[in-house]
Amino acid sequence: MTTKTIEIDPLLNTLCQTLQQQLQSRNIDNPAMIGIHTGGAWIATRLHQMLGLSEALGMLDISFYRDDFTRIGINPEVKPSHLPFNVDDRHIILIDDVLYTGRTIRAALNEIFDYGRPASVMLATLVDRSNGRELPIQPDACGITLDTKTQQHVNLTGPEPLRLTIG
Amino acid sequence: MNKRNIQLDDNNRLRHFLSIEGLKRHILTDILDTAESLSGVTQQTVKKVPLLRGKTVVNLFFEASTRTRTTFELAAKRLSADVLNINLATSATSKGETLLDTLRNLEAMHCDMFVVRHVNSGAAHFIASHAAPHISIINAGDGRHAHPTQAMLDMFTIRRAKGEFYKLKVAIVGDIEHSRVARSQIHALSTLGVEEIRIISPATLVPACCETLGVHVYHDMRQGLEDVDVVIMLRLQNERMETALLPSEHEYYRLYGLTEEKLALAKPDAIIMHPGPINRGVEIDSQVADGPRSVILEQVTHGIAVRMAVMSMAMQSHLADAHSSALESSE
Amino acid sequence: MKFSIRNGRIINPASPGNQRDTIGDIAIDNGRIIAVGKLPSGFSAEREIDASNLIVCPGLIDLRAHLREPGQEHKATISSESRAAASAGITTLCCPPDTQPIIDTPAVATLIHDQAANAGLTHVLPLGALTQNLAGKQLSEMAALKDAGCVGVSNAMRPMADYQVARRALQYAATHGLSVFIHAEDPALSNQGCAHEGAVATRLGLPGIPSAAETVAVASYLALIEATGARAHFCMLTTASAVTQVARARYDGLPVSADVSAHHLHLTELDVLDFDSQCHVRPPLRTQRDCDALRQGLADGTLSAICSDHQPHENDAKLSPFSTTAAGISGLETLLPLSLKLCEDSNMDIVDVISRLTTGPADILGIEAGKLASGHAADICIFDPEQYWTLSLDNIVSRGHNSPFLNWELKGKVTHTLLNGKITYEA
């Protein structure tokens, strides 16, 4: 199985531009950003800086909200979720590294709603694996769309340096 | 004759939590690590996670206990489970209903987990060996045999305070013979690989063949406390005076009570633990119990996270069988 | 009815030296043995049993079997357990007095005798109560009990009020020529215990019965036996210490004997691990060292009998946390195979093993039984010593299914049992 590496920076730029367009067309001027551990958090850290957001970055660990925890078991090394802002009535940008089946995003939404009622949630992912979606979830912004087979893996490693591999 | 461990499912994951004995070290450390993750939950604004949502946990207490029952109840609720409290200390079984019949009646109400406290040793094992396949049993204390969640929260407390287990000298002081907590602690400390486990107790309160558990027995507290890193005090019950096991609280306190003076023999950074409730002035001085090296109150806090960990781990095994999908976890 | 048993390996411990283990025939007529070794000339049997490759021995005598009748017929009855005994080669059973009502009146002894006679499958010899109501305070009417057929007296497992009562009971029994069957367990030392006080009970948090509970009682009773001259028998010893004490007493000429249960010869405290209530017995299973000493004591004759201590229970009695379960094993059907196992496990001679099940108990009870001899009742056991079999819920005859030996591979299966010259069991 050949592994292919994809350059991150161009993807981040695309993502950033698309996000800025989205924010403008929706008239959102003070979004709060939340990154999903682990890969989404790394991406969110970069984007947070690139977009120059003033509000502190929030991090979410969705391990306890997964719908398949009973099959794969509880990951003993869960980092705590940390949202340094009130979620109520805020426009949230939710960041993840790879969107595939959509279950992670569903779990993240559930968790966010446990904290409060946001005004809106936008989804931005670095990679959209367009084959394999199991839930009606689509990104509002993404760095690249990949047509991948089930057996393939798309992995982001990091935090320094960030590397995206397909294998 | 290799009997399968009743506590583990076919995939060697925790299904029942009945006793520390029989569990390998990695399961104990998994419990500690999971508790560590979950301890963050109790400090968040949203103090709940949906791990046990839709599940019903029954607190089946045949022996009265407010403190243990409330921590289990809190732990279950923080996992989003529904909780039923059944206090049988005064009801049906005293009218002659067998333990099995009580169990079957409750099973008929489609509960998922029983947290059981019972006055007879082996009760939790008995219930687990007769429980329907989809049910998990958590032992909240059976007779003198085991109190595994207490031992785990004690280990959690030790790990938080000391980091590693392998260099520690741990002393357990008091009535070991009648203590299920002590037995579970000894097994846990041993499995987690501490350097030395000491029992400090009058001869009448040391169980027969105690050394076979892997402990050193001391009758002199000063000798026993020398250089220890952790001191665990056990509660002394009044009945011990009545049955020719001890002469008086006074003499017990003189010989085995933890005072500042005796504590000075332990390491300067030794921690003091007690499963509670404390008998001030009998097994421990107020000064020591409230002092800087006491972690007694922290033990109570840790109890919730540890019980959340145990309950989630035990629940996952029987739900896993329902999943037939071989899909990888989503990205 | 004329029977002949042909070509069997006759093991008859009562015979002199070289005649204890021979190949031969047995002739039976009218319920009695008329010849051992060679059939009388001209003897024509109506039924001939071919005992080639089988062992023929006296019908086994079980010193202690609880038949549960009268009073606990939900567990078992004299009829059901007689049938189990017959299937196990046992032709005489001795039952203890702790029935409900207790065998402290002649009427109860007669009832048991009549029930056994009705069933007609084994002889049942009752032990009378040593004290009224087994309360350990007042002497029972031992003379009347003896007249009603009691072969001895016992206080079962109930405590005596104090040693003064015990001493007087021993004296009184002695004057009527009754042996006293003693369960040596000091009540204060055994306290609330349910398992041997040792490493396993400590691990399981089970209240323990220390060895001292037995050794203290044995020592005290030995002193009383010496003082009163009573004939006494210690039931089911379990400690190495007690075996030594009894050996010494016998050496010194005291009229004492002792037995051991079949399960104490094979199980130890380790079998209680996992809270297996099938191994909840009283007195408890002790250490390997004790087990070894019991086997040694059996081999050298200090312990002259193996009993089953048969205790059939309904299933519910074993279905609860360990200490709340009823103690006891349903043991009739494993008595023979477990005893035979000693030939392999501890190199005991098979003739000695058979004698612990026949002449040994007969001597203890003071009865004419346990021997194959002309003129004696034809109580005979025929078994295949090489046959492997498994006791399971499908084939167990006793109403009590409580046995830790279920699904063990057992060696030695009864093929025929005769009582008074009548076949009471045939495989």
Side-chain angles (χ1 to χ4, degrees):
Chain A
M1 180 112 71
T2 49
T3 318
K4 205 172 97 175
T5 312
I6 301 183
E7 281 297 309
I8 296 273
D9 287 337
L11 303 187
L12 283 173
N13 286 332
T14 311
L15 196 47
C16 190
Q17 275 168 15
T18 319
L19 263 179
Q20 280 167 331
Q21 284 163 8
Q22 285 284 333
L23 288 170
Q24 231 177 7
S25 67
R26 293 187 200 203
N27 265 321
I28 296 170
D29 57 26
N30 188 19
M33 185 175 279
I34 299 178
I36 302 177
H37 275 303
T38 323
W42 297 330
I43 303 293
T45 309
R46 292 285 209 96
L47 283 174
H48 187 266
Q49 193 191 35
M50 287 162 81
L51 286 170
L53 297 178
S54 51
E55 182 79 73
L57 181 57
M59 305 291 204
L60 220 55
D61 189 308
I62 52 100
S63 299
F64 297 139
Y65 286 77
R66 302 184 74 100
D67 60 12
D68 60 352
F69 94 93
T70 56
R71 190 163 47 83
I72 62 169
I74 299 182
N75 175 9
E77 280 155 29
V78 173
K79 300 159 211 27
S81 295
H82 181 58
L83 300 184
F85 46 80
N86 191 349
V87 155
D88 285 319
D89 292 326
R90 296 299 298 270
H91 295 281
I92 307 282
I93 305 174
L94 183 60
I95 314 276
D96 202 5
D97 52 353
V98 181
L99 173 60
Y100 185 31
T101 62
R103 291 180 191 268
T104 300
I105 305 303
R106 182 209 67 85
L109 287 172
N110 272 24
E111 188 166 354
I112 291 171
F113 274 79
D114 268 355
Y115 280 86
R117 193 180 174 282
S120 74
V121 180
M122 276 170 53
L123 176 61
T125 65
L126 191 67
V127 177
D128 175 5
R129 292 180 70 171
S130 52
N131 286 357
R133 201 81 84 239
E134 289 170 4
L135 297 173
I137 290 177
Q138 305 304 333
D140 297 294
C142 86
I144 186 171
T145 304
L146 294 174
D147 178 4
T148 53
K149 298 193 200 0
T150 322
Q151 316 91 288
Q152 287 181 293
H153 293 275
V154 179
N155 278 321
L156 181 72
T157 54
E160 234 24 88
L162 280 176
R163 265 177 54 138
L164 187 63
T165 53
I166 310 173
Chain B
M1 204 171 41
N2 214 351
K3 270 168 141 183
R4 208 171 58 74
N5 188 338
I6 191 183
Q7 300 192 74
L8 304 175
D9 67 10
D10 291 329
N11 295 315
N12 277 326
R13 290 195 296 188
L14 201 65
R15 182 196 156 183
H16 301 297
F17 193 55
L18 309 173
S19 67
I20 304 288
E21 207 182 359
L23 295 176
K24 293 208 167 82
R25 185 186 294 193
H26 73 87
I27 296 205
L28 299 189
T29 43
D30 278 353
I31 295 174
L32 294 178
D33 292 338
T34 307
E36 199 60 70
S37 315
L38 288 165
S39 66
V41 171
T42 61
Q43 278 143 37
Q44 285 171 181
T45 340
V46 179
K47 290 186 186 7
K48 275 196 187 219
V49 289
L51 286 172
L52 261 54
R53 183 166 53 204
K55 301 292 163 203
T56 306
V57 174
V58 181
N59 276 333
L60 205 52
F61 276 55
F62 294 85
E63 213 182 48
S65 153
T66 323
R67 112 196 339 236
T68 307
R69 214 203 61 221
T70 36
T71 51
F72 270 106
E73 186 173 345
L74 259 177
K77 286 181 170 163
R78 297 238 167 107
L79 293 170
S80 304
D82 295 321
V83 179
L84 262 179
N85 284 315
I86 303 192
N87 178 4
L88 289 148
T90 48
S91 77
T93 43
S94 59
K95 293 187 194 122
E97 184 181 54
T98 67
L99 186 51
L100 260 191
D101 279 337
T102 308
L103 178 67
R104 298 275 175 254
N105 283 331
L106 289 170
E107 279 177 358
M109 296 188 232
H110 300 294
C111 303
D112 305 285
M113 177 176 278
F114 292 104
V115 175
V116 183
R117 170 170 281 201
H118 199 282
V119 65
N120 292 131
S121 299
H125 273 77
F126 174 73
I127 291 178
S129 51
H130 289 94
H134 65 280
I135 291 181
S136 284
I137 309 293
I138 310 289
N139 186 3
D142 63 326
R144 290 182 210 173
H145 172 235
H147 195 356
T149 58
Q150 177 69 44
M152 289 315 296
L153 76 87
D154 291 334
M155 298 305 114
F156 187 84
T157 308
I158 292 174
R159 194 171 82 161
R160 276 262 178 112
K162 296 289 175 185
E164 281 163 336
F165 289 102
Y166 72 90
K167 284 185 294 222
L168 300 180
K169 293 189 176 68
V170 181
I172 306 177
V173 185
D175 182 1
I176 314 299
E177 164 67 6
H178 298 94
S179 172
R180 54 189 170 216
V181 172
R183 282 174 174 79
S184 289
Q185 287 168 340
I186 291 169
H187 290 308
L189 290 165
S190 182
T191 306
L192 289 166
V194 299
E195 184 177 304
E196 191 188 347
I197 308 171
R198 297 183 189 174
I199 297 299
I200 303 175
S201 184
T204 47
L205 295 177
V206 176
C209 308
C210 197
E211 297 79 10
T212 59
L213 296 174
V215 305
H216 291 132
V217 179
Y218 288 78
H219 298 305
D220 183 325
M221 190 171 182
R222 288 186 173 76
Q223 277 179 17
L225 284 180
E226 244 177 85
D227 221 36
V228 299
D229 301 281
V230 180
V231 183
I232 303 177
M233 302 302 299
L234 297 176
R235 179 185 169 74
L236 182 73
Q237 279 166 314
N238 288 328
E239 300 95 81
R240 309 305 165 226
M241 260 65 72
E242 288 152 28
T243 46
L245 287 163
L246 289 175
S248 65
E249 266 179 19
H250 181 246
E251 181 142 298
Y252 182 82
Y253 172 73
R254 251 193 74 228
L255 297 172
Y256 298 99
L258 188 61
T259 58
E260 286 287 6
E261 181 253 320
K262 289 196 195 110
L263 186 53
L265 293 155
K267 285 215 176 74
D269 62 348
I271 55 172
I272 294 114
M273 298 171 58
H274 192 304
I278 354 180
N279 269 331
R280 288 165 184 271
V282 177
E283 65 251 8
I284 188 169
D285 256 355
S286 282
Q287 211 182 356
V288 174
D290 303 328
R293 289 187 275 178
S294 159
V295 293
I296 296 176
L297 284 177
E298 282 156 57
Q299 285 173 272
V300 178
T301 315
H302 298 155
I304 299 177
V306 167
R307 281 158 182 145
M308 286 171 75
V310 167
M311 290 166 105
S312 345
M313 286 171 72
M315 196 70 87
Q316 65 184 0
S317 79
H318 52 87
L319 289 176
D321 302 331
H323 286 271
S324 52
S325 168
L327 265 178
E328 292 291 292
S329 51
S330 52
E331 285 299 325
Chain C
M1 171 110 154
K2 285 201 172 90
F3 265 105
S4 68
I5 303 173
R6 306 292 314 270
N7 218 17
R9 178 181 171 191
I10 301 175
I11 295 186
N12 196 10
S15 292
N18 55 356
Q19 289 164 44
R20 300 165 94 208
D21 187 355
T22 56
I23 307 279
D25 307 327
I26 297 186
I28 296 161
D29 190 5
N30 219 8
R32 301 211 156 258
I33 297 174
I34 57 171
V36 178
K38 257 172 57 156
L39 296 181
S41 52
F43 182 82
S44 79
E46 285 144 82
R47 165 91 199 259
E48 182 182 286
I49 297 175
D50 177 9
S52 325
N53 297 317
L54 302 178
I55 290 181
V56 182
C57 67
L60 307 184
I61 301 172
D62 189 356
L63 269 187
R64 186 164 322 97
H66 295 72
L67 305 177
R68 306 304 192 198
E69 190 181 345
Q72 293 182 300
E73 290 83 351
H74 62 287
K75 291 181 191 277
T77 61
I78 292 175
S79 166
S80 70
E81 303 316 290
S82 298
R83 210 154 25 87
S87 78
I90 298 168
T91 52
T92 303
L93 286 171
C94 188
C95 70
D98 54 355
T99 45
Q100 289 162 16
I102 286 165
I103 313 179
D104 62 359
T105 60
V108 181
T110 309
L111 168 73
I112 292 173
H113 176 268
D114 289 350
Q115 286 293 83
N118 278 340
L121 295 170
T122 144
H123 304 300
V124 175
L125 304 175
L127 286 181
L130 187 64
T131 59
Q132 284 176 35
N133 211 27
L134 290 179
K137 297 199 183 111
Q138 306 286 348
L139 304 181
S140 66
E141 294 181 339
M142 296 189 214
L145 291 171
K146 182 174 179 185
D147 289 342
C150 291
V151 293
V153 281
S154 173
N155 220 48
M157 299 227 35
R158 317 272 172 98
M160 301 292 279
D162 53 51
Y163 282 112
Q164 177 70 294
V165 180
R167 178 169 161 252
R168 291 188 178 144
L170 286 167
Q171 283 171 327
Y172 196 79
T175 50
H176 294 284
L178 281 168
S179 294
V180 180
F181 287 70
I182 301 169
H183 290 258
E185 192 184 86
D186 184 85
L189 285 169
S190 52
N191 203 12
Q192 307 279 345
C194 61
H196 169 65
E197 188 187 271
V200 173
T202 288
R203 207 165 266 272
L204 296 184
L206 292 172
I209 302 173
S211 295
E214 178 171 292
T215 53
V216 163
V218 168
S220 308
Y221 273 105
L222 283 174
L224 287 179
I225 290 160
E226 192 174 11
T228 59
R231 220 215 136 264
H233 174 82
F234 287 104
C235 305
M236 282 193 300
L237 293 185
T238 63
T239 64
S241 262
V243 174
T244 310
Q245 288 188 65
V246 169
R248 225 175 265 143
R250 283 162 66 88
Y251 181 80
D252 289 341
L254 275 190
V256 292
S257 55
D259 71 63
V260 61
S261 80
H263 49 268
H264 280 97
L265 293 166
H266 292 284
L267 301 175
T268 66
E269 56 176 350
L270 293 174
D271 293 291
V272 164
L273 279 173
D274 284 346
F275 297 101
D276 187 357
S277 63
Q278 297 298 337
C279 291
H280 180 196
V281 294
R282 192 68 172 259
L285 300 171
R286 300 205 190 262
T287 67
Q288 186 59 52
R289 203 184 134 261
D290 292 311
C291 184
D292 294 339
L294 292 171
R295 288 183 173 195
Q296 178 53 43
L298 189 73
D300 67 33
T302 305
L303 305 170
S304 46
I306 305 170
C307 69
S308 72
D309 192 34
H310 180 62
Q311 303 233 24
H313 284 295
E314 75 283 17
N315 290 341
D316 282 345
K318 290 288 190 181
L319 283 178
S320 67
F322 190 91
S323 61
T324 61
T325 56
I329 289 173
S330 175
L332 289 176
E333 294 158 77
T334 45
L335 178 62
L336 179 62
L338 287 179
S339 301
L340 291 174
K341 209 168 182 299
L342 295 168
C343 300
E344 279 169 28
D345 291 356
S346 56
N347 265 329
M348 228 173 123
D349 186 78
I350 192 172
V351 177
D352 290 334
V353 169
I354 302 288
S355 97
R356 304 289 183 266
L357 295 169
T358 53
T359 53
D363 287 343
I364 290 163
L365 292 168
I367 55 175
E368 276 297 309
K371 50 180 83 151
L372 300 170
S374 181
H376 279 211
D379 294 340
I380 300 175
C381 167
I382 306 175
F383 66 92
D384 180 349
E386 295 303 315
Q387 188 182 342
Y388 285 97
W389 63 290
T390 306
L391 183 68
S392 70
L393 291 176
D394 291 332
N395 61 21
I396 190 167
V397 181
S398 164
R399 283 258 298 275
H401 298 170
N402 48 307
S403 169
F405 303 110
L406 286 178
N407 303 315
W408 272 40
E409 190 184 60
L410 301 168
K411 194 176 177 196
K413 184 98 182 49
V414 174
T415 59
H416 305 78
T417 308
L418 286 90
L419 185 80
N420 287 329
K422 211 180 66 160
I423 294 185
T424 51
Y425 174 77
E426 193 165 355

